[in-house]
Amino acid sequence: MRVKDSWTPRDSGSYRPAMVAPRWLGVIGGMTWRASAEYYRIANELVAVQSGAPHSAYVTMVSPDFAPLVRALAAGRPDDVAAVLVDAARRLAVTDPAVVVLAANTAHLWFDQVRAEVRCPVVHVAEGVHRAAAEAGVTRLGILGTTATARAQVYRHGIGSRTEIVHPQVDAQEALHRLITVDLAARGPCPEDAALLATVAADLVAAGAEAVVLGCTEFSGMRLPLDVPVFDSTALHVRAALDRPTCDEPDSVGTWP
């Protein structure tokens, strides 16, 4: 039986957060500028669905240069990446956001360091995915993302005891990593990318995955011809952030805008 596909911001008006008070969404920009733009777009689409045009999201963003991060990762200097993200978190904290997100899956390797720099909630990218998986009743998740995301087991954050994570085989994972860090970083998506994703995703399903996670911001919005749910981690991440109570609102969620 086909399970209904997960929610995306392009779906009809199904997103209805509770109405309390305006809050600012803080975004630490993604590992490419396109990732930052995708988070901004989705946040505004959600607000437009909830409140109607011409409403838009309250967003504060700090987005560092991507090139030094690429060089640091390639040279095996993760502490240099952490320093950049911690500096971004400190700059963002000055704006007093209500909730913060990291606009990149790989950046969640340094989630704890970022969380230590701000007083408000920092929402992990896995949170929305695990919520969607629970709603769909699936317990085996296939992950499409960078090699760093796979090795660090980013999607094991907050995982339920019954949930299993399935990663691509080594060759397929290397192809995905090159696509994300070289091709998509330079040019953005093209039709051939969806074909590669579909092939790797089909292999994950054959290996027992009951749903597939688009675990890279640059994959957001891609449609895969699968008979299992496809969870857009970026869209679900933004939605989880907009739903999250703040330090000052422990029992409620806010209004966006």
Side-chain angles (χ1 to χ4, degrees):
M1 179 186 300
R2 180 179 175 85
V3 183
K4 186 180 185 299
D5 286 346
S6 66
W7 178 95
T8 72
R10 296 182 179 86
D11 292 336
S12 60
S14 59
Y15 179 68
R16 292 291 185 273
M19 305 287 285
V20 179
R23 304 182 304 165
W24 286 85
L25 172 65
V27 180
I28 296 178
M31 295 287 188
T32 70
W33 65 263
R34 291 181 180 86
S36 307
E38 189 69 3
Y39 271 74
Y40 183 73
R41 179 189 65 78
I42 292 172
N44 281 285
E45 286 187 359
L46 282 171
V47 168
V49 167
Q50 192 270 324
S51 299
H55 285 294
S56 57
Y58 288 92
V59 179
T60 302
M61 182 181 296
V62 176
S63 187
D65 183 13
F66 181 49
L69 301 178
V70 172
R71 291 194 294 269
L73 286 172
R77 302 195 308 271
D79 290 346
D80 290 357
V81 180
V84 171
L85 294 177
V86 165
D87 177 69
R90 289 171 178 168
R91 293 175 185 273
L92 189 62
V94 172
T95 70
D96 195 26
V99 64
V100 168
V101 293
L102 283 157
N105 281 254
T106 302
H108 283 74
L109 274 67
W110 299 275
F111 177 81
D112 290 336
Q113 291 95 315
V114 168
R115 183 168 54 181
E117 298 297 327
V118 294
R119 64 173 292 273
C120 65
V122 182
V123 178
H124 196 282
V125 69
E127 182 175 319
V129 169
H130 292 317
R131 181 192 302 176
E135 292 174 352
V138 297
T139 59
R140 289 177 60 89
L141 301 176
I143 309 297
L144 300 173
T146 66
T147 299
T149 296
R151 288 177 178 168
Q153 295 287 311
V154 166
Y155 282 92
R156 296 202 66 81
H157 178 94
I159 198 171
S161 60
R162 295 175 58 245
T163 303
E164 299 178 49
I165 301 297
V166 182
H167 290 291
Q169 295 296 316
V170 174
D171 289 348
Q173 181 60 64
E174 290 177 353
L176 280 182
H177 188 78
R178 286 194 301 272
L179 173 64
I180 295 166
T181 60
V182 178
D183 298 331
L184 292 178
R187 59 161 167 76
C190 69
E192 290 78 12
D193 301 335
L196 172 60
L197 285 184
T199 299
V200 178
D203 289 343
L204 290 173
V205 173
E210 298 170 343
V212 171
V213 177
L214 299 177
C216 173
T217 307
E218 282 75 16
F219 294 163
S220 180
M222 289 188 179
R223 302 289 187 174
L224 301 182
L226 300 174
D227 290 328
V228 299
V230 177
F231 297 144
D232 186 334
S233 67
T234 304
L236 292 168
H237 192 197
V238 178
R239 182 180 184 180
L242 299 187
D243 278 343
R244 173 60 68 86
T246 70
C247 297
D248 300 324
E249 301 167 328
D251 299 318
S252 63
V253 295
T255 300
W256 303 84

